[in-house]
Amino acid sequence: MQIRNVISSDYDIISPLINEWWGGRQMSDMLPKLFFVHFKNTSFIAEHDGEIVGFLIGFLSQSEKDAAYIHFVGVNPDYRKMQFGKQLYHKFFIEVQKHDRSVVRAVTSPVNKGSIAYHKKMGFEVEKGDKDVDGVSVFTNYDGLNQDRVLFVKKMIDFGRGVSV
């Protein structure tokens, strides 16, 4: 496995795969090309035998100087449970620490049980929202009407000491 920074042409490869990797859910609109152009230093590609098998798109917050944000992560279903996601997160966490960021945030839909479980496994905490859905705290209408979201936060203080990853 090799992990490298994204380049703008990776968009042309990844964009058609997103809906497929998400089991037909229409997700590709959530990841425009601008992320591959403007966030190259904090976004990564995982390759196996020359094939893109995963990606993580993240950035350093411009508004919260101690925070970074993971916008989108995907791993080819054929390569899940092979540590590609974990390695992508680890690479992002290292980059975040280089920029003295102490918090990483992420968001997912309450229907994405796999994402919720994975973020918890990676040491993220679910932020307290304004209602519970299936035992998970969510923020109502976070991304618009009827677009509830689960918000995650991970404190980076323990990263690198083997405590949280």
Side-chain angles (χ1 to χ4, degrees):
M1 171 181 56
Q2 176 190 359
I3 294 182
R4 61 170 174 81
N5 289 91
V6 301
I7 55 176
S8 61
S9 61
D10 289 328
Y11 174 80
D12 298 327
I13 298 166
I14 290 173
S15 184
L17 296 174
I18 292 173
N19 295 341
E20 178 184 325
W21 288 4
W22 267 260
R25 286 177 58 204
Q26 296 302 304
M27 303 292 289
S28 62
D29 290 345
M30 294 181 63
L31 189 59
K33 187 169 187 168
L34 70 90
F35 286 95
F36 293 79
V37 175
H38 296 286
F39 299 107
K40 294 177 191 178
N41 294 338
T42 53
S43 297
F44 304 97
I45 294 288
E47 294 178 322
H48 181 69
D49 293 333
E51 176 187 0
I52 293 177
V53 297
F55 64 92
L56 181 149
I57 305 298
F59 57 87
L60 304 173
S61 174
Q62 299 297 303
S63 302
E64 297 179 30
K65 296 301 181 189
D66 67 332
Y69 182 79
I70 296 175
H71 174 67
F72 214 101
V73 181
V75 174
N76 181 324
D78 296 337
Y79 290 88
R80 292 185 184 154
K81 301 197 186 294
M82 296 176 69
Q83 307 296 312
F84 288 104
K86 183 176 182 177
Q87 293 301 317
L88 287 163
Y89 275 74
H90 184 81
K91 183 78 169 169
F92 183 74
F93 295 154
I94 290 169
E95 191 63 31
V96 164
Q97 286 194 314
K98 287 180 187 176
H99 293 276
D100 297 321
R101 303 299 172 113
S102 60
V103 172
V104 175
R105 298 184 181 283
V107 175
T108 196
S109 170
V111 301
N112 196 338
K113 304 297 185 204
S115 177
I116 294 167
Y118 189 79
H119 280 90
K120 287 180 178 181
K121 181 179 176 183
M122 292 299 295
F124 285 83
E125 295 178 17
V126 174
E127 293 192 67
K128 179 75 174 135
D130 58 359
K131 74 176 184 180
D132 278 11
V133 173
D134 297 328
V136 177
S137 190
V138 302
F139 288 77
T140 306
N141 300 323
Y142 184 82
D143 276 335
L145 187 61
N146 298 318
Q147 299 297 314
D148 300 349
R149 296 292 181 258
V150 178
L151 276 61
F152 299 100
V153 62
K154 178 178 178 62
K155 295 179 180 142
M156 296 305 298
I157 191 156
D158 291 331
F159 179 74
R161 290 191 249 167
V163 175
S164 59
V165 175

